[in-house]
């Protein structure tokens, strides 16, 4: 298959998937319209449309708990400094959140890795969206065989610039006079495609993943219809309505015979009529609690499907929940975040192994590379500090691991090590130990706690 055939096939897949991805984007942004979900409204009621954004809540509740704090190589005491330098140099603290967010919304996102401009520069990581990129898999190995990314479109939304990713090769093509022309090409000595997909809820037969919002989209549509109906009911039935029987328009006049404006009669300026045959009455306001009950029912269904705690959806009681009750309510959400961290963490580990190979390093130690994630649960700072202190005092955790458990970033841990090395008490104890140690004897281990 030629490059042009691969590009055309990739563009066809991107354009085929794009409408569905735009719909998912609209649900996350709260921009889906009622006309698109099966409810036609007259133009006068267009301003009464209400969108409840449960899809964004379902996504953000998980994404907010996915924070990477470093990468640890096999046998290392702490997070690897060089890998973290690469991470920081590529602004991945922020960019990784975008990759997680797109994966949760669209089912997948991608990260590419290329070499720096010089040997001293770190590898370049770039987060890409499924709206502009696609990959194909080798059916035998299930590895990426090639990928296509659109980086430029014309006013007609037609692709005019693409990047083709193949094993050991990255080629940029531009369309000129209706034909694809090679614009630039980079090669490297690795028989791999420099793309790592980050997939949400992948399955054996669905490698492209599934949106985290799929389970709540139909319930969101139902809630939107109910809320819009509630708006209409509030407009026409929420306040008592007056009616007049046996009167004509000529009866609505003041003492001077001038006609009373409609708005004055509407707000209650009209309390009596000169026509003795006319009758004035009042219709009681409608009880709108049935709408509230329906919306609460939908909210409970969303909570049961997504694992969101009830207080995330506005359910509360007069007596505030205890800390244990809050943790219990969040247990399922925490487990879902841990599952996503396991899947996404494997993708980031593949990215780092690929980057090590690109700079010519042996990735033997990186085969057991682990992604260090921040604890997705929400314990109080005091409770975490107490638990870590007890484990450190019992010798279960070394000092470096205790800092990690406290959630300190690699840069802050490096700062703490510098402070410990500059501590006069530490230097004094090390000097005493050196004086007391015989020349032929092995030095005693220095306590990390000092």
């Amino acid at each position: 298959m030629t490059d042009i055939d691969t590009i055309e096939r990739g563009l066809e897949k991107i354009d085929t998937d794009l409408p569905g991805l735009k719909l998912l984007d609209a649900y996350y942004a709260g921009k889906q319209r009622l006309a698109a979900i099966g409810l036609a409204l007259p133009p006068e009621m267009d301003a009464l449309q209400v969108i409840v954004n449960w899809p964004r809540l379902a996504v953000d509740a998980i994404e907010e708990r996915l924070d990477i704090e470093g990468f640890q190589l096999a046998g290392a005491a702490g997070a690897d400094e060089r890998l973290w330098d690469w991470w920081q140099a590529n602004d991945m603290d922020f960019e990784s959140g975008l990759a997680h967010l797109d994966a949760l919304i669209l089912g997948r996102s991608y990260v590419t890795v290329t070499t720096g401009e010089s040997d001293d520069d770190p590898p370049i990581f770039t987060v890409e969206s499924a709206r502009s990129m696609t990959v194909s898999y080798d059916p035998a190995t299930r590895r990426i065989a090639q990928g296509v990314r659109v980086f430029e479109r014309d006013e007609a939304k037609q692709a005019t610039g693409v990047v083709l990713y193949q094993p050991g090769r990255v080629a940029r093509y531009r369309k000129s006079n209706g034909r694809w022309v090679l614009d630039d090409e980079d090669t490297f000595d690795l028989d791999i495609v420099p793309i790592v997909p980050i997939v949400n809820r992948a399955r054996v037969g669905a490698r492209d993943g599934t949106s985290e919002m799929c389970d709540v989209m139909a319930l969101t549509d139902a809630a939107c219809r109910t809320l819009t109906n509630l708006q209409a009911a509030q407009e026409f039935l929420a306040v008592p309505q007056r009616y007049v029987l046996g009167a004509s328009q000529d009866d609505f006049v003041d003492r001077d015979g001038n006609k009373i404006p409609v708005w004055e009669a509407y707000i209650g300026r009209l309390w009596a009529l000169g026509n003795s045959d006319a009758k004035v009455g009042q219709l009681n306001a409608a009880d709108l609690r049935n709408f509230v009950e329906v919306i609460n029912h939908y909210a409970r269904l969303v909570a049961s499907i997504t694992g969101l705690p009830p207080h995330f959806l506005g359910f509360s009681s007069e007596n505030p929940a205890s800390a244990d009750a809050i943790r219990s309510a969040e247990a399922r959400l925490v487990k879902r975040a841990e599952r996503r961290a396991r899947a996404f963490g494997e993708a980031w580990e593949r990215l780092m192994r690929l980057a090590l190979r690109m700079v010519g390093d042996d990735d033997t130690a990186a085969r057991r590379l682990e992604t260090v994630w921040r604890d997705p649960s929400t314990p109080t700072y005091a409770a975490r500090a107490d638990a870590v202190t007890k484990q450190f005092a019992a010798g279960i955790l070394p000092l470096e691991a205790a800092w990690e458990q406290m959630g300190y970033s690699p840069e802050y841990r490096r700062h703490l090590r510098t402070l410990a090395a500059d501590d006069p008490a530490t230097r004094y104890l090390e000097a005493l130990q050196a004086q007391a140690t015989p020349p032929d004897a092995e030095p005693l281990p220095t306590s990390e706690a000092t």
Side-chain angles (χ1 to χ4, degrees):
M1 182 181 296
T2 65
D3 287 359
I4 305 304
D5 293 335
T6 303
I7 291 173
E8 294 294 345
R9 180 174 294 186
L11 292 177
E12 182 181 0
K13 187 174 188 301
I14 291 174
D15 292 339
T16 300
D17 294 342
L18 196 56
L21 299 180
K22 287 183 176 180
L23 178 63
L24 293 172
D25 268 335
Y27 269 91
Y28 177 77
K31 294 181 179 179
Q32 78 276 18
R33 307 311 298 167
L34 296 180
I37 58 179
L39 182 61
L41 294 176
E44 295 80 7
M45 290 184 61
D46 186 67
L48 301 181
Q49 297 187 54
V50 180
I51 303 297
V52 54
N53 206 342
W54 285 335
R56 176 179 289 184
L57 178 61
V59 169
D60 288 353
I62 296 178
E63 192 279 327
E64 291 165 355
R65 297 169 182 263
L66 299 177
D67 293 316
I68 295 177
E69 295 190 334
F71 298 90
Q72 189 166 0
L73 294 172
D80 187 82
E81 297 288 347
R82 183 173 60 159
L83 296 183
W84 191 249
D85 288 341
W86 293 354
W87 184 266
Q88 294 290 336
N90 286 279
D91 298 325
M92 295 306 292
D93 278 346
F94 173 72
E95 294 290 326
S96 64
L98 299 182
H100 297 159
L101 190 61
D102 256 30
L104 292 169
I105 296 172
L106 307 178
R108 61 194 178 278
S109 61
Y110 303 96
V111 186
T112 64
V113 54
T114 55
T115 56
E117 295 182 0
S118 66
D119 294 339
D120 296 331
D121 292 333
I124 299 174
F125 305 146
T126 308
V127 174
E128 304 291 351
S129 172
R131 294 184 296 270
S132 59
M133 189 172 196
T134 187
V135 298
S136 60
Y137 294 90
D138 186 330
T141 62
R142 294 179 181 174
R143 294 181 179 178
I144 295 178
Q146 51 205 358
V148 175
R149 177 173 69 89
V150 178
F151 68 86
E152 188 177 88
R153 292 182 181 269
D154 59 17
E155 295 180 356
K157 304 300 181 182
Q158 298 297 316
T160 57
V162 299
V163 181
L164 175 63
Y165 298 88
Q166 292 178 324
R169 176 173 178 257
V170 177
R172 279 165 286 277
Y173 281 82
R174 288 185 180 274
K175 182 166 283 190
S176 176
N177 297 325
R179 300 179 58 184
W180 290 107
V181 179
L182 181 63
D183 185 51
D184 191 15
E185 183 178 22
D186 295 329
T187 59
F188 48 92
D189 297 330
L190 291 176
D191 190 26
I192 52 177
V193 180
I195 302 174
V196 176
I198 300 177
V199 184
N200 182 60
R201 293 191 179 190
R203 299 182 62 186
V204 175
R207 294 288 174 176
D208 284 342
T210 306
S211 172
E212 196 68 26
M213 306 182 300
C214 285
D215 294 335
V216 299
M217 288 167 62
L219 291 171
T220 299
D221 294 346
C224 290
R225 287 192 290 267
T226 303
L227 282 171
T228 301
N229 289 335
L230 174 59
Q231 284 280 85
Q234 284 179 301
E235 186 72 17
F236 299 110
L237 303 175
V239 296
Q241 300 294 312
R242 297 189 182 93
Y243 65 87
V244 179
L245 301 176
S248 65
Q249 188 174 2
D250 295 334
D251 293 323
F252 292 86
V253 294
D254 58 18
R255 65 181 65 182
D256 298 326
N258 299 318
K259 291 185 178 181
I260 298 176
V262 175
W263 67 272
E264 290 189 8
Y266 178 78
I267 63 174
R269 295 288 298 275
L270 177 65
W271 293 101
L273 290 171
N275 189 342
S276 59
D277 296 328
K279 295 182 179 179
V280 179
Q282 176 176 290
L283 299 175
N284 293 331
D287 188 354
L288 304 181
R289 285 180 295 179
N290 56 331
F291 292 101
V292 177
E293 291 299 323
V294 171
I295 294 171
N296 286 341
H297 175 64
Y298 290 147
R300 291 186 179 92
L301 291 176
V302 170
S304 65
I305 291 173
T306 61
L308 294 174
H311 60 272
F312 276 37
L313 295 165
F315 293 106
S316 61
S317 60
E318 295 180 358
N319 297 323
S322 64
D324 291 337
I326 293 176
R327 283 194 293 269
S328 176
E330 294 182 354
R332 191 170 165 217
L333 176 61
V334 171
K335 178 55 67 176
R336 289 165 70 93
E338 290 174 347
R339 291 293 186 185
R340 300 302 176 270
R342 184 172 68 178
F344 295 170
E346 181 61 31
W348 294 118
E349 290 158 16
R350 289 200 302 271
L351 178 73
M352 289 303 179
R353 294 188 191 104
L354 181 55
L356 286 170
R357 293 182 63 185
M358 278 197 163
V359 299
D361 281 16
D362 183 12
D363 65 342
T364 302
R367 293 174 186 173
R368 289 164 53 197
L369 176 70
E370 288 187 352
T371 306
V372 181
W373 293 89
R374 184 174 299 168
D375 186 1
S377 62
T378 54
T380 63
Y381 188 83
R384 177 180 294 176
D386 181 64
V388 171
T389 301
K390 291 178 179 178
Q391 293 181 63
F392 175 72
I396 299 175
L397 289 178
L399 183 59
E400 188 76 21
W403 288 343
E404 290 181 4
Q405 292 294 322
M406 286 299 299
Y408 298 156
S409 67
E411 199 61 36
Y412 186 61
R413 295 199 297 269
R414 181 188 303 177
H415 176 61
L416 291 178
R417 287 192 295 269
T418 302
L419 293 178
D422 292 339
D423 189 353
T426 301
R427 294 199 301 269
Y428 177 72
L429 292 175
E430 290 177 348
L432 290 179
Q433 178 179 324
Q435 294 176 3
T437 303
D440 298 335
E442 294 184 358
L444 295 174
T446 303
S447 173
E448 293 186 19
T450 61

